[in-house]
Amino acid sequence: RIYKPREPPYCLQRNQQETKIPFKNYLPNVFQVTSPTSRLVLHCTMASYLITGTSRGIGLALVKDLVAKPASEVSIIFAAARTETAALKELVEKSAGRIEFVSIDVTSPEKVKAAANQVEKSLRGKGLDILINNAGVLNFMPDGIEAM
Protein backbone atom coordinates (compact mmCIF):
# COMPACT_ATOMS: atom_id res chain seq x y z
CA ARG A 1 0.00 0.00 0.00
CA ILE A 2 2.87 2.39 0.71
CA TYR A 3 5.04 1.55 -2.29
CA LYS A 4 4.67 3.86 -5.26
CA PRO A 5 7.86 4.69 -7.17
CA ARG A 6 8.67 8.36 -7.57
CA GLU A 7 7.97 10.03 -10.88
CA PRO A 8 10.13 10.39 -12.89
CA PRO A 9 12.44 7.79 -11.35
CA TYR A 10 15.87 7.39 -12.82
CA CYS A 11 19.33 6.17 -11.92
CA LEU A 12 22.74 7.47 -12.81
CA GLN A 13 25.01 5.07 -14.65
CA ARG A 14 28.63 5.68 -13.79
CA ASN A 15 30.93 3.86 -16.15
CA GLN A 16 32.96 5.89 -18.61
CA GLN A 17 30.50 8.77 -18.28
CA GLU A 18 27.44 9.65 -16.22
CA THR A 19 24.17 9.03 -18.00
CA LYS A 20 20.58 9.17 -16.77
CA ILE A 21 18.86 5.85 -17.41
CA PRO A 22 15.14 5.22 -16.87
CA PHE A 23 14.68 3.40 -13.59
CA LYS A 24 12.25 0.91 -15.15
CA ASN A 25 15.20 -0.68 -16.98
CA TYR A 26 16.50 -1.96 -13.64
CA LEU A 27 15.06 -3.94 -10.77
CA PRO A 28 12.73 -1.75 -8.67
CA ASN A 29 14.05 -0.38 -5.39
CA VAL A 30 17.74 -0.78 -6.28
CA PHE A 31 19.81 1.89 -4.59
CA GLN A 32 23.31 0.81 -5.55
CA VAL A 33 24.44 -2.11 -7.67
CA THR A 34 28.07 -2.95 -8.18
CA SER A 35 29.72 -5.88 -9.87
CA PRO A 36 33.30 -7.05 -9.27
CA THR A 37 33.66 -7.72 -13.01
CA SER A 38 32.24 -4.38 -14.08
CA ARG A 39 32.79 -0.73 -13.22
CA LEU A 40 29.05 -0.06 -13.46
CA VAL A 41 27.51 1.59 -10.38
CA LEU A 42 23.87 2.69 -10.16
CA HIS A 43 22.68 5.37 -7.78
CA CYS A 44 19.00 6.24 -7.40
CA THR A 45 18.22 9.84 -6.63
CA MET A 46 16.67 10.97 -3.34
CA ALA A 47 15.53 7.54 -2.15
CA SER A 48 13.33 7.13 0.92
CA TYR A 49 14.05 4.20 3.25
CA LEU A 50 12.08 2.39 5.94
CA ILE A 51 14.27 0.17 8.10
CA THR A 52 12.82 -2.00 10.85
CA GLY A 53 14.78 -3.11 13.92
CA THR A 54 16.84 0.09 14.18
CA SER A 55 17.20 0.36 17.96
CA ARG A 56 20.58 -1.39 17.88
CA GLY A 57 22.85 -3.71 15.90
CA ILE A 58 22.61 -3.99 12.12
CA GLY A 59 19.52 -1.77 11.88
CA LEU A 60 21.18 1.09 13.74
CA ALA A 61 24.35 0.67 11.67
CA LEU A 62 22.30 0.86 8.45
CA VAL A 63 20.71 4.12 9.60
CA LYS A 64 24.14 5.58 10.47
CA ASP A 65 25.52 4.57 7.08
CA LEU A 66 22.57 5.98 5.11
CA VAL A 67 22.39 9.32 6.95
CA ALA A 68 26.08 9.85 6.11
CA LYS A 69 25.18 9.83 2.41
CA PRO A 70 24.21 13.15 0.79
CA ALA A 71 20.55 14.19 0.78
CA SER A 72 20.63 13.98 -3.02
CA GLU A 73 20.96 10.18 -2.64
CA VAL A 74 18.98 9.53 0.57
CA SER A 75 16.18 11.99 1.24
CA ILE A 76 14.59 10.46 4.35
CA ILE A 77 15.12 7.44 6.57
CA PHE A 78 12.27 6.03 8.65
CA ALA A 79 13.95 4.28 11.58
CA ALA A 80 11.40 1.82 12.94
CA ALA A 81 11.76 0.04 16.27
CA ARG A 82 9.76 -0.95 19.36
CA THR A 83 11.71 1.51 21.50
CA GLU A 84 13.76 4.57 20.70
CA THR A 85 17.13 3.86 22.32
CA ALA A 86 19.49 6.65 23.39
CA ALA A 87 21.76 5.94 20.40
CA LEU A 88 18.86 6.11 17.95
CA LYS A 89 17.41 9.22 19.58
CA GLU A 90 20.78 10.99 19.31
CA LEU A 91 21.01 10.05 15.63
CA VAL A 92 17.50 11.39 14.97
CA GLU A 93 18.28 14.67 16.73
CA LYS A 94 21.51 15.20 14.75
CA SER A 95 19.98 14.31 11.37
CA ALA A 96 18.41 17.70 10.57
CA GLY A 97 15.07 16.02 9.84
CA ARG A 98 16.44 13.28 7.56
CA ILE A 99 15.68 10.51 10.08
CA GLU A 100 12.18 10.03 11.47
CA PHE A 101 11.56 7.57 14.29
CA VAL A 102 8.62 5.23 13.72
CA SER A 103 7.30 3.21 16.65
CA ILE A 104 6.53 -0.33 15.52
CA ASP A 105 6.09 -3.80 16.96
CA VAL A 106 6.24 -6.26 14.08
CA THR A 107 4.32 -8.84 16.11
CA SER A 108 1.26 -6.55 16.28
CA PRO A 109 -0.75 -6.04 13.06
CA GLU A 110 -2.35 -2.90 14.54
CA LYS A 111 1.04 -1.32 15.29
CA VAL A 112 2.34 -2.26 11.84
CA LYS A 113 -0.67 -0.53 10.25
CA ALA A 114 -0.17 2.55 12.44
CA ALA A 115 3.50 2.68 11.41
CA ALA A 116 2.56 2.35 7.73
CA ASN A 117 0.07 5.20 8.10
CA GLN A 118 2.73 7.41 9.75
CA VAL A 119 5.20 6.76 6.91
CA GLU A 120 2.54 7.30 4.25
CA LYS A 121 1.52 10.60 5.85
CA SER A 122 5.14 11.79 6.09
CA LEU A 123 5.80 10.94 2.44
CA ARG A 124 2.72 12.94 1.35
CA GLY A 125 1.76 10.53 -1.42
CA LYS A 126 5.26 10.20 -2.89
CA GLY A 127 5.57 6.52 -1.96
CA LEU A 128 8.32 4.62 -0.20
CA ASP A 129 11.30 3.60 -2.30
CA ILE A 130 13.12 1.00 -0.21
CA LEU A 131 12.05 -1.26 2.67
CA ILE A 132 14.69 -3.08 4.71
CA ASN A 133 12.92 -5.56 6.95
CA ASN A 134 15.59 -6.06 9.61
CA ALA A 135 13.41 -6.78 12.67
CA GLY A 136 13.38 -10.38 13.77
CA VAL A 137 10.58 -12.25 15.48
CA LEU A 138 11.29 -15.25 17.67
CA ASN A 139 8.42 -16.90 19.48
CA PHE A 140 9.03 -17.42 23.18
CA MET A 141 10.06 -20.95 24.09
CA PRO A 142 9.74 -21.89 27.79
CA ASP A 143 12.77 -24.21 27.56
CA GLY A 144 14.82 -21.77 25.48
CA ILE A 145 16.53 -22.35 22.18
CA GLU A 146 17.33 -25.99 23.10
CA ALA A 147 13.62 -26.85 22.73
CA MET A 148 13.40 -25.53 19.18
Side-chain angles (χ1 to χ4, degrees):
R1 187 175 130 186
I2 296 175
Y3 175 73
K4 288 187 245 171
R6 291 179 201 272
E7 295 297 331
Y10 67 87
C11 292
L12 294 177
Q13 175 181 338
R14 294 185 178 152
N15 200 347
Q16 299 296 334
Q17 59 186 359
E18 286 194 5
T19 314
K20 286 185 181 179
I21 298 177
F23 191 60
K24 65 183 177 184
N25 294 345
Y26 295 98
L27 293 174
N29 297 336
V30 173
F31 175 71
Q32 181 173 335
V33 177
T34 58
S35 168
T37 59
S38 168
R39 294 188 327 187
L40 177 68
V41 179
L42 301 175
H43 293 278
C44 293
T45 58
M46 294 185 62
S48 58
Y49 285 80
L50 169 60
I51 306 170
T52 62
T54 59
S55 60
R56 59 190 175 96
I58 293 171
L60 184 61
L62 284 168
V63 174
K64 286 179 182 178
D65 187 51
L66 287 172
V67 79
K69 296 188 179 295
S72 60
E73 290 181 17
V74 179
S75 62
I76 189 163
I77 303 158
F78 296 99
R82 270 183 288 168
T83 57
E84 188 176 22
T85 59
L88 182 56
K89 188 173 186 170
E90 180 182 345
L91 211 54
V92 170
E93 289 170 356
K94 291 181 178 179
S95 72
R98 290 184 57 212
I99 302 173
E100 182 179 324
F101 176 72
V102 177
S103 179
I104 190 171
D105 180 351
V106 296
T107 64
S108 167
E110 296 82 21
K111 291 186 179 183
V112 170
K113 286 178 186 177
N117 288 336
Q118 178 184 341
V119 170
E120 191 171 36
K121 184 177 178 181
S122 293
L123 289 172
R124 289 175 250 154
K126 293 180 185 170
L128 180 66
D129 294 311
I130 299 166
L131 168 65
I132 301 175
N133 226 349
N134 177 63
V137 178
L138 177 63
N139 292 331
F140 175 74
M141 300 293 292
D143 298 325
I145 197 166
E146 292 84 19
M148 293 179 75

